[in-house]
Amino acid sequence: MALQIRQFPCLQDNYGFLIACSETGACAAIDTPEPARILEEARAAGWRLTDIWNTHHHWDHAGGNDTIRAANGARITAPAAEAELIGHVDLAVKPGDRVTLGALEAQVMDVGGHTLGHIAYWFESEGVAFVGDALFALGCGRLFEGTPHQAQAGLARLRALPGDTVIYCAHEYTQANARFALSVDPDNPALTAYAAEVERLRSRGEPTVPTTIERERAANPFLRWDDANLRARLGLETAQDWQVYGEVRARKDAF
Ligand code: ZN
Ligand code: FE
């Protein structure tokens, strides 16, 4: 596998990710939550950090760009729709674009909602996607900028990826997400089993990230807008998919 991934905790509950092409040695940071830590991880791995790939403009994702760029001249790739907010963007990308890192290629996906221009990077042939704050293990990002309609469309794109796609999300929120998920979908056996595993992992201080699309499809209430049991529980049997998603989001915000 040409794609190598290094995952490490940053700040309170973020994850930092470094990705590298084993054929060429090119290395990118997916977002920049804690620049000193990211530079140290690259050094420890012996990787030459040439690129930053941002998913969205929030400070815990793009706030370390300038520090890393000042240290090594890294080239910044970021969503065109948020380039002004992020600043110093070298390559502004739009949904559908392809970005390369050495011999690796990722597709840019529109997962707007948490922020309007939020993107994900999908390495199709490697079966891996970096989704920032758009989708979390058993959760999804808050709608700071977009509408439920927009966010559900973005999540539908992620949900349609092959089931074995490995999903790297940017925060360790899974334990709290699981408690909420059980409150809206308590009779889902895939969720109860997943939640028990999360408790086990977190009690040992282990990460619950990455996850997979298949796992999330089965248990994440933010991806189950067409599930009859969940709809019945919410009293939304005949609602539009985005309305079911929106109701789950609203309940989580009030949880
Ligand atoms: Zn964010
Ligand atoms: Fe974040």
Side-chain angles (χ1 to χ4, degrees):
M1 185 150 145
L3 173 61
Q4 293 179 284
I5 300 168
R6 209 172 156 105
Q7 172 180 328
F8 44 93
C10 287
L11 305 173
Q12 281 289 99
D13 50 34
N14 281 72
Y15 284 118
F17 304 103
L18 287 171
I19 61 174
C21 168
S22 58
E23 286 175 31
T24 64
C27 169
I30 304 291
D31 289 329
T32 56
E34 198 179 320
R37 178 79 199 264
I38 292 165
L39 288 165
E40 171 55 26
E41 289 283 338
R43 196 201 57 74
W47 293 349
R48 201 165 44 86
L49 180 52
T50 54
D51 285 85
I52 292 165
W53 291 8
N54 288 131
T55 61
H56 66 296
H57 69 82
H58 285 159
W59 72 272
D60 61 317
H61 296 263
N65 283 12
D66 287 346
T67 303
I68 292 176
R69 186 166 148 276
N72 60 20
R75 186 173 78 139
I76 298 172
T77 296
E82 300 185 359
E84 298 270 298
L85 288 164
I86 290 170
H88 302 299
V89 173
D90 300 294
L91 183 62
V93 293
K94 295 197 168 84
D97 286 354
R98 286 159 192 273
V99 286
T100 58
L101 181 73
L104 301 165
E105 184 183 76
Q107 293 181 41
V108 175
M109 296 177 69
D110 173 7
V111 292
H114 175 71
T115 64
L116 287 175
H118 198 312
I119 57 173
Y121 296 97
W122 175 39
F123 290 90
E124 180 175 8
S125 55
E126 317 286 332
V128 167
F130 293 89
V131 302
D133 289 352
L135 176 66
F136 297 127
L138 295 179
C140 75
R142 259 177 197 269
L143 297 187
F144 286 117
E145 298 178 11
T147 61
H149 191 272
Q150 179 191 12
Q152 189 266 335
L155 290 174
R157 287 181 203 106
L158 292 175
R159 197 181 78 160
L161 294 176
D164 58 0
T165 305
V166 180
I167 299 297
Y168 289 88
C169 42
H171 290 269
E172 181 61 62
Y173 289 156
T174 317
Q175 204 164 24
N177 287 344
R179 288 172 189 156
F180 167 73
L182 286 166
S183 79
V184 287
D185 198 16
D187 304 321
N188 178 347
L191 172 58
T192 48
Y194 189 160
E197 197 199 330
V198 167
E199 292 295 328
R200 224 161 27 239
L201 286 168
R202 295 309 294 154
S203 71
R204 298 197 297 250
E206 290 176 27
T208 64
V209 174
T211 180
T212 66
I213 286 296
E214 193 169 39
R215 263 163 87 74
E216 297 309 312
R217 263 186 215 149
N220 186 328
F222 295 96
L223 296 183
R224 294 174 59 74
W225 49 75
D226 47 6
D227 180 76
N229 290 329
L230 179 60
R231 281 175 164 253
R233 208 165 256 286
L234 300 172
L236 293 174
E237 287 90 338
T238 60
Q240 301 289 309
D241 289 343
W242 67 266
Q243 293 173 310
V244 177
Y245 162 80
E247 177 63 19
V248 177
R249 186 63 256 170
R251 288 188 186 210
K252 174 68 163 68
D253 293 343
F255 187 68

